[in-house]
Amino acid sequence: MKLAIMLGDGFEPIEAMCPTDVLRRGGVDVTLVSVMPTKHVIAAQGITVVADVVVADTDLMEFDAICLPGGMGGVENLTKCDKLTAALPKFMDDGGRMVAAICAGPTILSSLGLLHGRKATCYPGCETDFPEGVYCGQDVCKDGNLITASGPAYALEFGVELLRALAGNAVASQVMEDMLIKG
C-alpha cells in the first residue's frame, strides 16, 4: 500500500508525523508530499520538515491513500493545491482507495462537497460547514474509505486506524503491541 501525506506550510506536525511513524512501522509505503514549491515545509510550530517529494513532480493517482493533516495554515495551503483538490473526488469515489483527514483537514473535503451522505469528525468548531448529519463528534470516525479524527490528541489512534484499514488487524495489533499502545 502506498499513502501520500500532504504537507503545506502551517500543518500540525503531530498529525502528520505520528501517523507516518505508525504506518511505516506497519510496512505501509508513506510518502511525505509538499504542496509548497520546495521539499522544505514549515509546520505550525516552526518545525521544518523535509518532504520526500513536491506535488508538482508527483502523480497522486499512483497512491492507494491520501492523508490530510490539520493546522489552519496547512489546510489553507492544501486547499490551494489544484492537483490535490482534483484528486480527492477520485479517491473518495473509488472504494479501493482511502482518504484520511484529521483536525481541520476534513474541512477540505467538506469545501469540495465530498462529505454528503458520509460520517466524519474534525476539530471542534470546524464542523460548521459540514452538511447536516455528517458530523459524528467522535475522536476517530471511519465511514467506508474515509477516516477522520478530531485533533492532535488523537493522532496516534488515527494512525493506528489508518494502518488497520490499509494493512489489516494483525499488522495494526502487532504495531500497537510493539509501541506499547493499550487498546
Side-chain angles (χ1 to χ4, degrees):
M1 291 300 233
K2 291 178 65 175
L3 175 130
I5 295 187
M6 308 303 295
L7 304 177
D9 283 350
F11 76 95
E12 184 65 47
I14 195 170
E15 295 171 359
M17 297 301 103
C18 195
T20 298
D21 183 295
V22 169
L23 291 159
R24 285 184 177 172
R25 286 174 192 257
V28 175
D29 181 2
V30 177
T31 302
L32 300 176
V33 181
S34 169
V35 300
M36 308 312 293
T38 71
K39 290 182 182 181
H40 291 83
V41 186
I42 302 169
Q45 287 70 33
I47 300 167
T48 300
V49 173
V50 180
D52 300 309
V53 296
V54 293
V55 73
D57 300 332
T58 306
D59 179 1
L60 294 177
M61 298 312 294
E62 291 181 2
F63 293 93
D64 302 298
I66 287 181
C67 180
L68 310 171
M72 292 310 292
V75 166
E76 228 175 82
N77 282 307
L78 295 183
T79 302
K80 293 177 190 174
C81 178
D82 292 337
K83 204 170 193 178
L84 174 62
T85 58
L88 285 170
K90 296 172 187 170
F91 274 75
M92 289 289 288
D93 289 342
D94 183 345
R97 295 182 196 261
M98 295 289 307
V99 175
I102 184 170
C103 195
T107 64
I108 298 168
L109 304 173
S110 183
S111 71
L112 294 171
L114 300 176
L115 292 182
H116 293 284
R118 305 301 289 265
K119 291 290 181 194
T121 194
C122 62
Y123 193 83
C126 289
E127 76 280 2
T128 57
D129 291 330
F130 279 17
E132 188 172 329
V134 168
Y135 184 66
C136 69
Q138 298 171 343
D139 302 332
V140 177
C141 179
K142 184 174 186 307
D143 182 356
N145 67 337
L146 173 64
I147 298 173
T148 55
S150 59
Y154 302 100
L156 185 60
E157 186 179 340
F158 173 68
V160 169
E161 188 62 33
L162 188 50
L163 178 60
R164 185 174 282 113
L166 294 173
N169 287 328
V171 172
S173 293
Q174 185 61 57
V175 168
M176 288 175 66
E177 182 180 322
D178 294 346
M179 292 182 73
L180 306 177
I181 300 170
K182 307 267 189 250

mmCIF file of all heavy atoms in Angstrom, residues 98-124:
data_model
loop_
_atom_site.group_PDB
_atom_site.id
_atom_site.type_symbol
_atom_site.label_atom_id
_atom_site.label_comp_id
_atom_site.label_asym_id
_atom_site.label_seq_id
_atom_site.Cartn_x
_atom_site.Cartn_y
_atom_site.Cartn_z
ATOM 1 N N MET A 98 -8.271 5.056 -0.079
ATOM 2 C CA MET A 98 -8.629 5.624 1.224
ATOM 3 C C MET A 98 -8.347 7.125 1.229
ATOM 4 O O MET A 98 -7.400 7.581 0.589
ATOM 5 C CB MET A 98 -7.804 5.001 2.348
ATOM 6 C CG MET A 98 -8.027 3.529 2.603
ATOM 7 S SD MET A 98 -9.604 3.131 3.351
ATOM 8 C CE MET A 98 -9.647 4.173 4.773
ATOM 9 N N VAL A 99 -9.148 7.846 2.015
ATOM 10 C CA VAL A 99 -8.896 9.246 2.305
ATOM 11 C C VAL A 99 -8.936 9.375 3.824
ATOM 12 O O VAL A 99 -9.858 8.874 4.471
ATOM 13 C CB VAL A 99 -9.950 10.179 1.667
ATOM 14 C CG1 VAL A 99 -9.717 11.632 2.091
ATOM 15 C CG2 VAL A 99 -9.921 10.054 0.144
ATOM 16 N N ALA A 100 -7.920 10.007 4.380
ATOM 17 C CA ALA A 100 -7.849 10.225 5.819
ATOM 18 C C ALA A 100 -7.608 11.710 6.053
ATOM 19 O O ALA A 100 -6.847 12.343 5.328
ATOM 20 C CB ALA A 100 -6.719 9.397 6.431
ATOM 21 N N ALA A 101 -8.278 12.257 7.063
ATOM 22 C CA ALA A 101 -8.125 13.683 7.371
ATOM 23 C C ALA A 101 -8.314 13.879 8.861
ATOM 24 O O ALA A 101 -9.172 13.238 9.469
ATOM 25 C CB ALA A 101 -9.137 14.506 6.578
ATOM 26 N N ILE A 102 -7.524 14.771 9.441
ATOM 27 C CA ILE A 102 -7.560 14.995 10.875
ATOM 28 C C ILE A 102 -7.619 16.487 11.181
ATOM 29 O O ILE A 102 -7.087 17.297 10.416
ATOM 30 C CB ILE A 102 -6.340 14.325 11.563
ATOM 31 C CG1 ILE A 102 -6.391 14.459 13.090
ATOM 32 C CG2 ILE A 102 -5.027 14.795 10.978
ATOM 33 C CD1 ILE A 102 -5.356 13.625 13.840
ATOM 34 N N CYS A 103 -8.259 16.837 12.284
ATOM 35 C CA CYS A 103 -8.326 18.209 12.791
ATOM 36 C C CYS A 103 -9.118 19.087 11.818
ATOM 37 O O CYS A 103 -10.286 18.861 11.585
ATOM 38 C CB CYS A 103 -6.917 18.729 13.067
ATOM 39 S SG CYS A 103 -6.846 20.220 14.072
ATOM 40 N N ALA A 104 -8.492 20.075 11.219
ATOM 41 C CA ALA A 104 -9.170 20.920 10.236
ATOM 42 C C ALA A 104 -9.121 20.304 8.836
ATOM 43 O O ALA A 104 -9.785 20.794 7.926
ATOM 44 C CB ALA A 104 -8.549 22.316 10.216
ATOM 45 N N GLY A 105 -8.370 19.222 8.665
ATOM 46 C CA GLY A 105 -8.251 18.568 7.361
ATOM 47 C C GLY A 105 -9.581 18.185 6.723
ATOM 48 O O GLY A 105 -9.754 18.365 5.512
ATOM 49 N N PRO A 106 -10.553 17.651 7.484
ATOM 50 C CA PRO A 106 -11.829 17.296 6.867
ATOM 51 C C PRO A 106 -12.587 18.479 6.258
ATOM 52 O O PRO A 106 -13.449 18.289 5.403
ATOM 53 C CB PRO A 106 -12.628 16.683 8.031
ATOM 54 C CG PRO A 106 -11.577 16.122 8.939
ATOM 55 C CD PRO A 106 -10.462 17.133 8.864
ATOM 56 N N THR A 107 -12.256 19.702 6.659
ATOM 57 C CA THR A 107 -12.930 20.858 6.068
ATOM 58 C C THR A 107 -12.606 20.983 4.571
ATOM 59 O O THR A 107 -13.407 21.543 3.821
ATOM 60 C CB THR A 107 -12.569 22.173 6.789
ATOM 61 O OG1 THR A 107 -11.170 22.444 6.637
ATOM 62 C CG2 THR A 107 -12.940 22.109 8.267
ATOM 63 N N ILE A 108 -11.464 20.462 4.160
ATOM 64 C CA ILE A 108 -11.114 20.458 2.731
ATOM 65 C C ILE A 108 -12.132 19.608 1.979
ATOM 66 O O ILE A 108 -12.654 20.012 0.935
ATOM 67 C CB ILE A 108 -9.685 19.928 2.498
ATOM 68 C CG1 ILE A 108 -8.651 20.812 3.183
ATOM 69 C CG2 ILE A 108 -9.392 19.791 1.001
ATOM 70 C CD1 ILE A 108 -7.255 20.210 3.253
ATOM 71 N N LEU A 109 -12.422 18.434 2.526
ATOM 72 C CA LEU A 109 -13.393 17.530 1.898
ATOM 73 C C LEU A 109 -14.776 18.160 1.863
ATOM 74 O O LEU A 109 -15.490 18.062 0.864
ATOM 75 C CB LEU A 109 -13.424 16.196 2.644
ATOM 76 C CG LEU A 109 -12.081 15.477 2.758
ATOM 77 C CD1 LEU A 109 -12.195 14.267 3.665
ATOM 78 C CD2 LEU A 109 -11.546 15.101 1.386
ATOM 79 N N SER A 110 -15.149 18.824 2.945
ATOM 80 C CA SER A 110 -16.450 19.483 3.001
ATOM 81 C C SER A 110 -16.543 20.600 1.965
ATOM 82 O O SER A 110 -17.557 20.724 1.269
ATOM 83 C CB SER A 110 -16.706 20.028 4.406
ATOM 84 O OG SER A 110 -17.990 20.599 4.489
ATOM 85 N N SER A 111 -15.479 21.391 1.848
ATOM 86 C CA SER A 111 -15.493 22.510 0.895
ATOM 87 C C SER A 111 -15.598 22.027 -0.555
ATOM 88 O O SER A 111 -16.076 22.758 -1.415
ATOM 89 C CB SER A 111 -14.263 23.398 1.070
ATOM 90 O OG SER A 111 -13.096 22.743 0.609
ATOM 91 N N LEU A 112 -15.176 20.786 -0.799
ATOM 92 C CA LEU A 112 -15.270 20.211 -2.142
ATOM 93 C C LEU A 112 -16.584 19.457 -2.356
ATOM 94 O O LEU A 112 -16.793 18.858 -3.413
ATOM 95 C CB LEU A 112 -14.080 19.274 -2.396
ATOM 96 C CG LEU A 112 -12.699 19.930 -2.444
ATOM 97 C CD1 LEU A 112 -11.611 18.869 -2.477
ATOM 98 C CD2 LEU A 112 -12.595 20.862 -3.650
ATOM 99 N N GLY A 113 -17.456 19.455 -1.342
ATOM 100 C CA GLY A 113 -18.737 18.766 -1.453
ATOM 101 C C GLY A 113 -18.621 17.252 -1.365
ATOM 102 O O GLY A 113 -19.495 16.530 -1.855
ATOM 103 N N LEU A 114 -17.568 16.749 -0.711
ATOM 104 C CA LEU A 114 -17.306 15.310 -0.689
ATOM 105 C C LEU A 114 -17.803 14.592 0.558
ATOM 106 O O LEU A 114 -17.606 13.381 0.684
ATOM 107 C CB LEU A 114 -15.792 15.069 -0.847
ATOM 108 C CG LEU A 114 -15.178 15.609 -2.135
ATOM 109 C CD1 LEU A 114 -13.669 15.408 -2.136
ATOM 110 C CD2 LEU A 114 -15.815 14.952 -3.352
ATOM 111 N N LEU A 115 -18.444 15.301 1.468
ATOM 112 C CA LEU A 115 -18.896 14.665 2.701
ATOM 113 C C LEU A 115 -20.383 14.338 2.724
ATOM 114 O O LEU A 115 -20.869 13.740 3.682
ATOM 115 C CB LEU A 115 -18.545 15.533 3.915
ATOM 116 C CG LEU A 115 -17.060 15.658 4.243
ATOM 117 C CD1 LEU A 115 -16.855 16.499 5.494
ATOM 118 C CD2 LEU A 115 -16.407 14.285 4.397
ATOM 119 N N HIS A 116 -21.114 14.681 1.687
ATOM 120 C CA HIS A 116 -22.554 14.393 1.655
ATOM 121 C C HIS A 116 -22.794 12.889 1.801
ATOM 122 O O HIS A 116 -22.172 12.088 1.108
ATOM 123 C CB HIS A 116 -23.185 14.909 0.363
ATOM 124 C CG HIS A 116 -23.190 16.397 0.269
ATOM 125 N ND1 HIS A 116 -24.085 17.167 0.973
ATOM 126 C CD2 HIS A 116 -22.395 17.259 -0.403
ATOM 127 C CE1 HIS A 116 -23.843 18.444 0.730
ATOM 128 N NE2 HIS A 116 -22.817 18.528 -0.102
ATOM 129 N N GLY A 117 -23.666 12.535 2.749
ATOM 130 C CA GLY A 117 -24.007 11.138 2.960
ATOM 131 C C GLY A 117 -22.958 10.348 3.727
ATOM 132 O O GLY A 117 -23.053 9.130 3.832
ATOM 133 N N ARG A 118 -21.950 11.019 4.248
ATOM 134 C CA ARG A 118 -20.875 10.351 4.991
ATOM 135 C C ARG A 118 -20.939 10.763 6.455
ATOM 136 O O ARG A 118 -21.632 11.703 6.826
ATOM 137 C CB ARG A 118 -19.503 10.762 4.426
ATOM 138 C CG ARG A 118 -19.281 10.543 2.940
ATOM 139 C CD ARG A 118 -19.434 9.105 2.479
ATOM 140 N NE ARG A 118 -18.389 8.216 2.901
ATOM 141 C CZ ARG A 118 -17.312 7.893 2.191
ATOM 142 N NH1 ARG A 118 -17.133 8.419 1.008
ATOM 143 N NH2 ARG A 118 -16.431 7.058 2.657
ATOM 144 N N LYS A 119 -20.171 10.077 7.284
ATOM 145 C CA LYS A 119 -19.960 10.455 8.681
ATOM 146 C C LYS A 119 -18.505 10.871 8.807
ATOM 147 O O LYS A 119 -17.609 10.209 8.274
ATOM 148 C CB LYS A 119 -20.244 9.284 9.635
ATOM 149 C CG LYS A 119 -21.702 8.916 9.712
ATOM 150 C CD LYS A 119 -22.484 9.991 10.422
ATOM 151 C CE LYS A 119 -23.950 9.632 10.545
ATOM 152 N NZ LYS A 119 -24.759 10.762 10.910
ATOM 153 N N ALA A 120 -18.251 11.974 9.514
ATOM 154 C CA ALA A 120 -16.889 12.478 9.682
ATOM 155 C C ALA A 120 -16.809 13.287 10.968
ATOM 156 O O ALA A 120 -17.819 13.761 11.486
ATOM 157 C CB ALA A 120 -16.491 13.350 8.490
ATOM 158 N N THR A 121 -15.610 13.444 11.452
ATOM 159 C CA THR A 121 -15.354 14.289 12.606
ATOM 160 C C THR A 121 -14.249 15.269 12.249
ATOM 161 O O THR A 121 -13.631 15.164 11.185
ATOM 162 C CB THR A 121 -15.012 13.444 13.866
ATOM 163 O OG1 THR A 121 -15.093 14.276 15.015
ATOM 164 C CG2 THR A 121 -13.645 12.792 13.760
ATOM 165 N N CYS A 122 -13.999 16.213 13.128
ATOM 166 C CA CYS A 122 -12.979 17.223 12.901
ATOM 167 C C CYS A 122 -12.714 17.949 14.208
ATOM 168 O O CYS A 122 -13.345 17.651 15.226
ATOM 169 C CB CYS A 122 -13.421 18.220 11.827
ATOM 170 S SG CYS A 122 -14.914 19.133 12.281
ATOM 171 N N TYR A 123 -11.833 18.920 14.175
ATOM 172 C CA TYR A 123 -11.579 19.732 15.354
ATOM 173 C C TYR A 123 -12.873 20.464 15.730
ATOM 174 O O TYR A 123 -13.553 21.007 14.853
ATOM 175 C CB TYR A 123 -10.463 20.742 15.064
ATOM 176 C CG TYR A 123 -9.927 21.406 16.303
ATOM 177 C CD1 TYR A 123 -8.957 20.782 17.077
ATOM 178 C CD2 TYR A 123 -10.415 22.634 16.718
ATOM 179 C CE1 TYR A 123 -8.467 21.373 18.231
ATOM 180 C CE2 TYR A 123 -9.939 23.241 17.872
ATOM 181 C CZ TYR A 123 -8.973 22.601 18.621
ATOM 182 O OH TYR A 123 -8.494 23.190 19.777
ATOM 183 N N PRO A 124 -13.226 20.458 17.019
ATOM 184 C CA PRO A 124 -14.473 21.117 17.423
ATOM 185 C C PRO A 124 -14.558 22.569 16.934
ATOM 186 O O PRO A 124 -13.637 23.346 17.123
ATOM 187 C CB PRO A 124 -14.424 21.049 18.958
ATOM 188 C CG PRO A 124 -13.556 19.861 19.254
ATOM 189 C CD PRO A 124 -12.525 19.848 18.154
#
